[in-house]
Structure formats: C-alpha cells, structure tokens
Amino acid sequence: SAREDAGGGGGGYTEGTLAVTAGQILRIAVGEGGAPLEAPGEGGEGGAGLNPQGGGDGGGLPSAPNPGSANGGGGASGIFTACAARDSLHSNAPYIVLVAGAGGGGGNAKSPDTTLPAPQRFAGAGGGLTGDAAGQTSEQTSNGFTSGGGGGDQEQGGQGGASVNPPPDGSPGSFLGGGNATQDSQAGGGGDGYYGGGGAGKHNQPGSRIQAGGGGSSYHGHPQITSGSTEAGALCEGGGVTQPGYVATTNEAVALPSTGFGEDGFVLLTGNGTVDNTASTTIVSNAFTASSAPTTSRIVVFQEDLSGSPSGNLNTDIVASISRDGGSNFTSATLSDSGYVTGASGQRILTGVATVSGQPSGTSMRWKLALANNQSKIHGVSLQWK
C-alpha cells in the first residue's frame, strides 16, 4: 500500500520443485495487499497471509488532528504440507514448503524528504532470502534511515524503526508475521514473510527519512525442494515479473503518486507426472463348462487402446490365450483387428482362434488376457468353442 509521498514495497517471488505422492494434500495461503489508512488518524491494517496476523498494522492515533497516512504491510503467500498452529510450524520447519515475502507498508515522508531519490521514499520490498529495509534497495535486517523498519531474514524478523520522540519504536518482525508500526498515525507496518519486516518508528523532523515498514523474507529451504530460488522485489515492483509463470497485477505496491491497496499475492501450481509403463496386468476368466472336449476356440475382445498406436500393440501389448483344462494349460490365439464398434475411434473388436486339441482333454474353458504395459482397456470378452 502507498501514500502520495512514500510508496509501499513490492512483494518477493519464490519458486521450487517438490516431489509429491498420490493423494498428498498441500495447504496454500495467498497473501493480500496491505490496506491504506482506515479513518483520520488511524493506520491501515496489514494484509492477511500466512497467519491471522499477516502484515504489520500501520500506526494509529485516533485523536490525532491530521488525517494520517499510515499503511499496513502486505501479507505473504506460502505452501505447506500440513495445517498446523504457528508454533508447531516453527518447531517443524519441514511443514513449510515455500514462502514469498511481502513488502512493507508505506508511511509519511515529511517535506523536504519528499524530494528524496525514489529508493529512499519506499517501504522495504519483500525478499529474497532477506527482505529490504525501508528506504533501501539492499537486503538488511537493520532498520533503514532510522525510522524505517528492517527486513526479515531466515532466522529473525527485521528491526523495528526507531522513534525520534515517544511513542515507542516500531515492533520488530517475527516468525510468519510483520511488525506493527509505532502508534504514530503516519508510520507504516512491516511486511509478512518467513520472518517479517519491522514496523516503522516515528520522526517529527525532516532528514529522518520515511516512516515505512521493512519487507518480509522468502523461503525455499524445505528438505525436498529442488531448484529452489527467490527474487526480491525492487521499490514498488514485485519480484519474479520476468518469470514465465508470473501473473500481471499481483505482488506489486501502488506506484507513486497514486494511493490505495497494494496488489494481492498469487500462487501458481503446475505438475508433471510419469506413467509407469513397466506394469502389466493379466486377466483370467472364470471357468465355462463345455458339453464335450472342444478342439478349437474363438475369442472376441472389445478393447480400447491407450497407447495411441492401435495397429502396433496386437499380440504384444495384448495377448490372448485359451484353456480347456481349467487353466492348467493355455494356447495362444493370434488376434486380428476387426474394426471399431462404431466410427473410427473408441472400442474396437479383436478376434482370434486357438487350436486347443493339443491340451489335456477337458471341458473347463477359460480365457486369459495378458496386458503388457497396461496400454489396453477391456470392455468385454466373448468365448466360443467347438
């Protein structure tokens, strides 16, 4: 979120590859942008993200005579392997898969600070493995320009901004939470993250720079994550904007001189899977009783091919055989393609004949289908004999 003379920080970007198992449940939290001031003299609320606290709240002095300009920090986005209480997540880090840190909330920049270069007029952007401090484009946990909050890293929250005069300093960031700003009505909150950014302190004189929050840190340290990486935001710009999966109008702060809510976060999941082509299935029918010992038998199979090569799998990916002695011995039947049931796709009719006179005499008839590579779906089988 931003005000006309001091912008909010953009959110961070994180990606990685996680090997999952069938039926595994992933928990997704999508952060929302920090809010601008709610009422005269009251700071904006931090955006919800990884926990109900989310981004830090902007400062608030309801009795203040001025309209105020404090903004809440953004809420971080993340992926988890379990839904657990915040303390449990902290003590069981493998629950946390990925986190994209959020930017801090913008605050006030007193004249003549409004003429400062752009980097010194923005809240800290989200990380990176460390979030930016307010008024800085560098990743650091110490507060920026005295009154601005510091960025969170992998072990601690960002330092709260120092107040020139009472009320107290801004709150430091914490695990999965941005720090609240001091109670001054023009101080911005810290951004949420793996460890959140610090909230802003108060200054009442030019030269102390902006009263804005620090950015939260991102995370990809799950033991099963491969190819993990992060990209920090820069000023009001979000990280990852050049990545193929980036979605426009997400994770960016309001650009100066506009005001309003920061953009919400975004989580994109894509999946790749492999089919096990080594597995095979054998289907054997129940026994059918013939009136006398047959010498030949004809099989009809209604089959749907799954390989994409209907003419290439007969008698290899699907093999038919017939028994007249209850399944102790089988004789192969060479299958041929008799065309589709209807149209030019779907089920097709396979037929074959086996001479079973060489088997021990018997009247207990069975058919068997060996489905190599599981490339066939069987809709029905018919068996005749004489």
Side-chain angles (χ1 to χ4, degrees), residues 208-234:
S208 295
R209 307 303 192 252
I210 62 173
Q211 294 175 243
S217 61
S218 299
Y219 171 85
H220 60 79
H222 188 279
Q224 292 178 308
I225 280 289
T226 58
S227 303
S229 66
T230 62
E231 184 176 313

Side-chain angles (χ1 to χ4, degrees), residues 30-334:
V30 182
E32 62 181 352
L37 65 117
E38 297 184 328
E42 296 184 11
E45 290 186 349
L50 304 181
N51 68 70
Q53 176 185 345
D57 292 339
L61 290 173
S63 61
N66 60 61
S69 56
N71 301 272
S77 299
I79 301 175
F80 304 85
T81 58
C83 184
R86 182 178 173 190
D87 290 344
S88 297
L89 287 171
H90 196 190
S91 59
N92 295 277
Y95 284 158
I96 305 175
V97 179
L98 294 171
V99 172
N108 184 32
K110 289 183 177 293
S111 180
D113 290 350
T114 54
T115 63
L116 291 170
Q120 298 173 18
R121 294 178 55 202
F122 280 89
L129 297 180
T130 302
D132 287 356
Q136 305 283 341
T137 56
S138 60
E139 299 179 342
Q140 63 183 63
T141 58
S142 56
N143 55 26
F145 290 116
T146 306
S147 59
D153 64 10
Q154 301 299 289
E155 299 177 345
Q156 61 188 335
Q159 182 180 4
S163 293
V164 175
N165 291 311
D169 296 344
S171 299
S174 61
F175 177 70
L176 302 185
N180 293 328
T182 186
Q183 294 182 7
D184 185 76
S185 60
Q186 300 184 42
D192 189 9
Y194 182 62
Y195 278 89
K202 174 186 178 181
H203 77 76
N204 61 358
Q205 60 188 16
S208 295
R209 307 303 192 252
I210 62 173
Q211 294 175 243
S217 61
S218 299
Y219 171 85
H220 60 79
H222 188 279
Q224 292 178 308
I225 280 289
T226 58
S227 303
S229 66
T230 62
E231 184 176 313
L235 304 183
C236 67
E237 187 80 3
V241 296
T242 61
Q243 300 300 318
Y246 181 80
V247 174
T249 68
T250 60
N251 88 332
E252 296 176 295
V254 178
L256 298 179
S258 301
T259 62
F261 289 83
E263 293 176 349
D264 294 336
F266 187 84
V267 174
L268 175 65
L269 300 178
T270 61
N272 292 306
T274 57
V275 177
D276 185 358
N277 289 328
T278 62
S280 299
T281 300
T282 299
I283 306 172
V284 181
S285 73
N286 293 328
F288 306 94
T289 302
S291 58
S292 60
T295 58
T296 61
S297 183
R298 180 174 185 264
I299 188 171
V300 179
V301 181
F302 294 87
Q303 177 247 12
E304 181 181 349
D305 187 82
L306 304 178
S307 69
S309 176
S311 62
N313 68 347
L314 287 185
N315 305 302
T316 54
D317 284 347
I318 176 170
V319 177
S321 56
I322 301 169
S323 172
R324 73 174 184 179
D325 62 356
S328 297
N329 296 275
F330 280 92
T331 301
S332 295
T334 301

